[in-house]
Amino acid sequence: MNKLVNVHKLFVLFIALFFQTENIKAQEQKEFATINEILVFTKSKNYQFKNADWQIKLANLTNKMAKLNRYNPKTPTSIQVLDNINQQVSFLPGQAFGQPNGTFKEVTIGQQYVSTFNIQPQFDILNMASNAQIKTAKINQQLVENQNKINEQTLYEKINMVYFNILSFDAQKEVLKENIKIANDILRIINNKFNAGIARKQEVNEAEVNLISLQDKLEQIEMNTKMQYQTLNLFFENQIDASLSQNLWDYQNIDTVLQTQNNLIVENARLQSQMAQQEYKALKYQNLPVLSFVSSFNWQNLSNDFSFAKNSNWINYNYVGLKLSYDLPTTIQKYSNQKSKQMQIEIWKNNEEHSQKENETRNAQMVLEYEKSLKQKENFRKIYDLKKDTYEKNYNQFKENILSLDKLLISQNDMLISKLNMVSALANIGFNKTKIEINNEF
């Protein structure tokens, strides 16, 4: 019995290891050196690009169908096989059959078995409403392509944010590890002083609190980094386990002047305004006459014996011609649709005007955000150099028992904050610079 239990445990362990191995295979490790590598790789993995391809195909199909619908080709076809069980009786004047005047004779006229095959090819020669729909479909095609670009840009900006969050967290971890070493050194010194009887237990406690606090911050940042990596991997549909090799400090010496002239939002508003105007034309043209080609080809089989009997008769009758159809503009729904579309046109015109101003402001603000982060970097660097110098002097005085522990810890915390501010400024530089570059791609 024990052997069976052990075999069962080994089998369960084997299955667990198998699925774990499969999971590792499914999520291969991939390292990225720059954000551009990530953006290129995303195009081959993210679901959004697959959806964009289908949306373009759908818009192309709509455009092709609109062109075919210009002629509205139709071929109604019917086959009818009838058995006139009780045929209609007609009453004819009796004198035609040798009967006295004023009398009538009952006569059954027609065939009992009537089979008919009918085909009616027809198409529109001139339909202004259908012609307008072709232009509507073309504008829709352009609108879909432009919207896909907006979605792509938005996706890249999200990746940009996650990317520099990770670089920022990595740099913060470096800073915290440096300060944890300092905190360990301070704790060692204060412990030595305590053992020598020249420091109080409270100071040892404060030094330990300082160390624990820094370790906690490091742990929190490590957890935040893992969450950001999870978000990054989701952009690849969790098909890989990504890692970044770029260092945030690479952005220390960047001072490039950048400009941006992205117009996707303006183009989107313009196309939507055009779409509304074209849809209004299509609605208006629905009140115009439609000229069509019509035809009918008929084959009829008549018999009193049975359907398609040997002695049955075949009769053919056909016609071709033109038809002019006109729907009088008395439909309330048509009138309502036109008026509603006119109002929508005015709304889209206002949106188009506003989007132009909004876009100019957005482009200008991106450049200002980038320039602001460059200036912040310089200021924070100067502050850090001063805070670092203050800490080093305080540290030397602390070792010589000239300075108290609390003042040393304050100066260390100030130095830590000033360097973390530098990290934040560098992350903003990288983020804002890349955001402008992404916008300039569209």
Side-chain angles (χ1 to χ4, degrees), residues 85-306:
I85 299 173
N86 295 314
Q87 292 178 278
Q88 185 176 352
V89 177
S90 298
F91 294 90
L92 302 179
Q95 60 266 31
F97 300 93
Q99 295 181 0
N101 290 338
T103 62
F104 295 90
K105 181 175 176 62
E106 294 183 7
V107 179
T108 301
I109 300 176
Q111 302 288 316
Q112 180 177 353
Y113 300 100
V114 179
S115 302
T116 305
F117 175 69
N118 170 260
I119 181 169
Q120 297 178 313
Q122 53 190 285
F123 58 86
D124 293 344
I125 297 173
L126 181 62
N127 188 332
M128 296 299 292
S130 295
N131 288 343
Q133 288 293 346
I134 296 174
K135 293 182 180 179
T136 303
K138 183 64 178 177
I139 295 172
N140 177 66
Q141 198 173 15
Q142 295 171 349
L143 189 59
V144 168
E145 290 172 357
N146 191 76
Q147 186 60 54
N148 284 339
K149 289 180 181 179
I150 292 175
N151 294 340
E152 184 178 350
Q153 177 185 314
T154 303
L155 175 66
Y156 287 169
E157 289 179 355
K158 290 179 181 177
I159 294 173
N160 183 34
M161 181 177 291
V162 173
Y163 182 85
F164 282 97
N165 279 345
I166 293 173
L167 292 192
S168 175
F169 287 145
D170 287 342
Q172 289 179 52
K173 284 191 285 186
E174 289 179 16
V175 173
L176 285 167
K177 286 176 182 177
E178 291 172 0
N179 277 266
I180 286 173
K181 288 181 181 179
I182 293 172
N184 271 314
D185 190 43
I186 293 173
L187 180 59
R188 178 184 57 79
I189 294 171
I190 201 68
N191 267 324
N192 290 338
K193 289 184 178 183
F194 176 73
N195 292 333
I198 56 175
R200 296 172 298 167
K201 179 59 177 174
Q202 294 93 316
E203 291 177 309
V204 175
N205 293 343
E206 288 301 316
E208 286 185 1
V209 167
N210 180 52
L211 176 60
I212 294 169
S213 177
L214 291 171
Q215 290 171 337
D216 177 68
K217 288 177 181 177
L218 179 61
E219 290 171 0
Q220 295 300 315
I221 288 177
E222 286 175 342
M223 294 300 296
N224 288 336
T225 304
K226 288 180 181 179
M227 287 189 285
Q228 289 297 304
Y229 267 116
Q230 287 177 345
T231 304
L232 182 63
N233 289 336
L234 184 58
F235 291 123
F236 314 129
E237 304 303 321
N238 290 332
Q239 294 182 26
I240 65 161
D241 187 10
S243 61
L244 308 183
S245 62
Q246 188 174 22
N247 196 310
L248 186 64
W249 301 103
D250 295 343
Y251 289 87
Q252 282 188 96
N253 300 320
I254 287 179
D255 55 1
T256 312
V257 177
L258 297 175
Q259 295 294 328
T260 182
Q261 293 295 328
N262 184 284
N263 291 309
L264 283 181
I265 295 176
V266 176
E267 181 67 11
N268 195 67
R270 184 185 68 80
L271 288 171
Q272 286 177 324
S273 181
Q274 284 186 359
M275 173 77 83
Q277 293 174 18
Q278 194 60 37
E279 287 174 343
Y280 173 71
K281 286 183 181 179
L283 290 171
K284 187 170 63 174
Y285 291 159
Q286 284 181 356
N287 292 319
L288 296 178
V290 176
L291 179 63
S292 305
F293 167 81
V294 293
S295 63
S296 181
F297 302 92
N298 305 272
W299 294 266
Q300 193 172 69
N301 182 273
L302 304 174
S303 175
N304 280 321
D305 295 334
F306 197 72

Side-chain angles (χ1 to χ4, degrees), residues 15-43:
I15 294 296
L17 287 172
F18 173 78
F19 282 108
Q20 186 176 4
T21 305
E22 289 297 311
N23 187 50
I24 291 171
K25 288 181 181 177
Q27 275 203 317
E28 61 172 305
Q29 296 282 333
K30 187 170 180 62
E31 185 177 87
F32 297 95
T34 65
I35 189 170
N36 288 331
E37 291 182 9
I38 289 182
L39 299 184
V40 171
F41 187 76
T42 303
K43 263 196 165 181

Side-chain angles (χ1 to χ4, degrees), residues 397-414:
Q397 291 179 349
F398 171 73
K399 287 198 297 183
E400 295 172 4
N401 294 325
I402 300 174
L403 189 75
S404 62
L405 175 65
D406 57 344
K407 290 185 179 180
L408 177 64
L409 295 180
I410 290 172
S411 64
Q412 185 203 2
N413 188 60
D414 289 344

Side-chain angles (χ1 to χ4, degrees), residues 57-68:
K57 289 177 182 177
L58 181 59
N60 290 337
L61 177 63
T62 303
N63 190 29
K64 290 176 182 177
M65 292 302 102
K67 290 177 180 177
L68 290 174

Side-chain angles (χ1 to χ4, degrees), residues 293-334:
F293 167 81
V294 293
S295 63
S296 181
F297 302 92
N298 305 272
W299 294 266
Q300 193 172 69
N301 182 273
L302 304 174
S303 175
N304 280 321
D305 295 334
F306 197 72
S307 297
F308 305 106
K310 284 186 178 181
N311 61 346
S312 62
N313 297 319
W314 282 95
I315 299 175
N316 303 336
Y317 52 97
N318 313 308
Y319 69 80
V320 294
L322 299 176
K323 181 177 75 172
L324 188 68
S325 55
Y326 181 57
D327 187 6
L328 291 174
T330 56
T331 307
I332 300 299
Q333 188 63 46
K334 284 186 177 181

